[in-house]
């Protein structure tokens, strides 16, 4: 995925920077997460540029944002349709799109990446951006499981690099994990925390450890649900019902994996089992591998553990 087409070289001083009030944000990657983040940033008054590789993808992203905004409005402005329409239009006006990464980042406060979970691709993207983005610009990744330190290592702005991890569906989920590496400056970390709060989210501070907080707990839980089922100790349906009614979760683990994407779950597990192959928590699942090999990724492909409704 070549996000970087134009290269403008510029040299920067390494002066320490004050906490940046983030007003303009460039989001790279118009998939479900990127579009969701763009939506939330736009509805909270930020100027957003959404970047992807083609206009076709970006049109689809904006259509998704529009559909999601309508769902929000249906609930929030049930008795005020005109105010609801104004809310949608205002949010959409705050979003512009671009396929030209280099010019999109020319005057932005934050670049937030939500592209494919591939370390090399993310590093290549940020190496290019590092050369053209203004000195004060903070870089952040929405990675689910890759070390922020490894992504940041491709740049010269280690002090202005952190993680902002959002949850699907972004407009509904109230949390943002803010991740600081050992090199992230306090100013950068504070800027990211404040940005998360300005989006109306609750923030938690995380260290740059595998899966941060949520995925470190959630992924092993989902994997244990598969293993329980593989051992013949419960049907998928019963496990889902049990966790919804017995533990108060909004979705059971199989429903949630279909929602998040089996490709994403597998990607995270593959990385972790490679990192720590003898840890039983990170053991591979035959069923997950089989479904992923068949392209059954869940909601996004129409079938995962279940056929989508
Ligand atoms: N945009 C806007 N509004 C939405 C929405 C979206 N994408 N999704 C749901 N809503 C709102 C709408 O108002 C909707 O009403 P509508 O259907 O009439 O439009 C309302 O929520 C109810 O939605 P649903 O009837 O579809 O179902 P629920 O009441 O169960 O809510 C849910 C949906 C919020 C997704 C809920 O099921 C839930 O919280 N599920 C768990 C999600 C979760 O755990 N996410 C984290 C995954 S891990 C992750 O993302 C990290 C990554 O790194 C892997």
């Amino acid at each position: 995925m070549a996000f970087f087409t134009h290269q403008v070289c510029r040299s920067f001083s390494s002066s320490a920077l004050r906490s940046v009030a983030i007003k303009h944000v460039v989001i790279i990657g118009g998939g479900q997460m990127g579009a969701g983040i763009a939506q939330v940033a736009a509805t909270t008054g930020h100027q957003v540029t959404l970047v992807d590789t083609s206009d076709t993808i970006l049109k689809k992203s904006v259509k998704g944002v529009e559909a999601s905004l309508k769902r929000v409005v249906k609930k929030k402005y049930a008795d005020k349709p005109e105010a609801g329409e104004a809310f949608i239009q205002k949010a959409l006006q705050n979003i512009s799109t671009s396929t030209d990464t280099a010019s999109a980042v020319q005057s932005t406060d934050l670049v937030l990446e939500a592209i494919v979970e591939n370390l090399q691709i993310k590093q290549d993207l940020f190496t290019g951006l590092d050369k053209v983005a203004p000195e004060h610009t903070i870089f952040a990744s929405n990675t689910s499981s890759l070390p922020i330190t490894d992504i940041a290592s491709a740049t010269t702005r280690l002090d202005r690099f952190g993680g902002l991890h959002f949850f699907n569906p972004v407009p509904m989920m109230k949390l943002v994990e803010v991740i600081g590496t050992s090199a992230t400056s306090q100013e950068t970390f504070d800027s990211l925390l404040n940005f998360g709060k300005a989006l109306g989210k609750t923030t938690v501070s995380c260290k740059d450890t595998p899966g941060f907080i949520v995925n470190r707990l959630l992924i092993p839980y989902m994997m244990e649900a598969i293993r329980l089922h593989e051992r013949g100790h419960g049907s998928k349906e019963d496990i889902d019902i049990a966790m919804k009614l017995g533990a108060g979760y909004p979705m059971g683990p199989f429903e949630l994996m279909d929602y998040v994407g089996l490709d994403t779950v597998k990607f995270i597990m593959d990385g972790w089992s490679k990192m720590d192959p003898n840890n039983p928590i990170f053991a591979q699942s035959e069923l997950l591998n089989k479904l992923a090999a068949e392209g059954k990724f869940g909601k996004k492909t129409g079938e995962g553990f279940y056929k989508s409704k």
Side-chain angles (χ1 to χ4, degrees):
M1 203 182 289
F3 273 97
F4 220 79
T5 48
H6 304 345
Q7 296 237 329
V8 184
C9 289
R10 201 185 287 172
S11 65
F12 297 133
S13 75
S14 59
S15 59
L17 294 161
R18 291 218 189 94
S19 171
V20 170
I22 294 164
K23 301 282 181 213
H24 182 268
V25 53
V26 171
I27 295 163
I28 303 188
Q32 214 171 21
M33 295 307 284
I37 300 164
Q39 176 182 334
V40 172
T43 54
T44 49
H46 298 84
Q47 290 301 313
V48 180
T49 307
L50 187 59
V51 177
D52 212 307
T53 49
S54 79
D55 285 325
T56 312
I57 297 174
L58 288 165
K59 269 192 194 130
K60 199 173 158 210
S61 311
V62 173
K63 247 186 159 179
V65 169
E66 232 177 310
S68 176
L69 283 168
K70 281 184 184 154
R71 292 177 82 180
V72 172
V73 158
K74 204 170 81 186
K75 221 175 213 174
K76 211 171 157 187
Y77 296 93
D79 304 326
K80 301 176 203 151
E82 277 170 27
E85 188 50 34
F87 174 84
I88 292 175
Q89 290 314 319
K90 204 169 166 208
L92 291 174
Q93 276 162 20
N94 283 345
I95 303 178
S96 60
T97 59
S98 174
T99 53
D100 182 349
T101 320
S103 63
V105 304
Q106 287 292 322
S107 60
T108 194
D109 303 313
L110 172 70
V111 177
L112 175 56
E113 161 279 311
I115 61 169
V116 62
E117 283 286 88
N118 177 301
L119 180 61
Q120 189 63 56
I121 294 173
K122 287 184 196 286
Q123 285 179 329
D124 290 347
L125 170 74
F126 279 118
T127 300
L129 293 176
D130 197 27
K131 297 188 178 109
V132 290
E135 186 174 359
H136 80 279
T137 304
I138 294 172
F139 288 176
S141 171
N142 178 55
T143 179
S144 306
S145 66
L146 294 170
I148 302 293
T149 305
D150 292 356
I151 305 171
S153 70
T155 72
T156 59
R157 58 181 85 203
L158 302 185
D159 57 329
R160 282 152 285 152
F161 208 118
L164 279 175
H165 185 220
F166 290 80
F167 299 87
N168 195 12
V170 181
M172 298 299 293
M173 303 305 285
K174 298 184 177 77
L175 185 74
V176 179
E177 291 179 319
V178 181
I179 303 108
T181 71
S182 57
T184 307
S185 71
Q186 191 60 47
E187 290 78 7
T188 297
F189 194 77
D190 290 347
S191 297
L192 293 174
L193 270 181
N194 291 336
F195 177 64
K197 288 181 186 131
L199 297 180
K201 303 292 185 191
T202 297
T203 56
V204 288
S205 304
C206 299
K207 300 289 177 202
D208 189 19
T209 54
F212 317 124
I213 296 174
V214 173
N215 280 346
R216 181 60 184 80
L217 297 174
L218 190 60
I219 303 289
Y221 150 74
M222 296 196 290
M223 292 305 296
E224 194 52 25
I226 305 178
R227 289 187 204 108
L228 195 144
H229 172 59
E230 283 177 317
R231 289 195 298 269
H233 293 173
S235 69
K236 291 174 293 197
E237 291 79 2
D238 278 355
I239 294 169
D240 277 349
I241 289 170
M243 293 314 291
K244 283 193 281 192
L245 302 188
Y249 287 17
M251 289 175 170
F254 293 98
E255 286 175 310
L256 186 55
M257 281 185 276
D258 276 0
Y259 191 71
V260 166
L262 271 55
D263 50 340
T264 302
V265 176
K266 180 169 163 51
F267 178 86
I268 297 171
M269 279 305 295
D270 285 351
W272 289 354
S273 49
K274 206 166 147 196
M275 175 188 75
D276 192 358
N278 298 321
N279 190 335
I281 288 176
F282 301 146
Q284 294 278 329
S285 149
E286 244 177 62
L287 178 56
L288 177 65
N289 289 347
K290 178 177 169 291
L291 290 171
E294 289 167 359
K296 293 179 179 163
F297 295 156
K299 207 175 143 223
K300 65 179 93 168
T301 58
E303 187 175 352
F305 288 105
Y306 300 112
K307 282 211 165 74
S308 305
K309 285 174 201 144

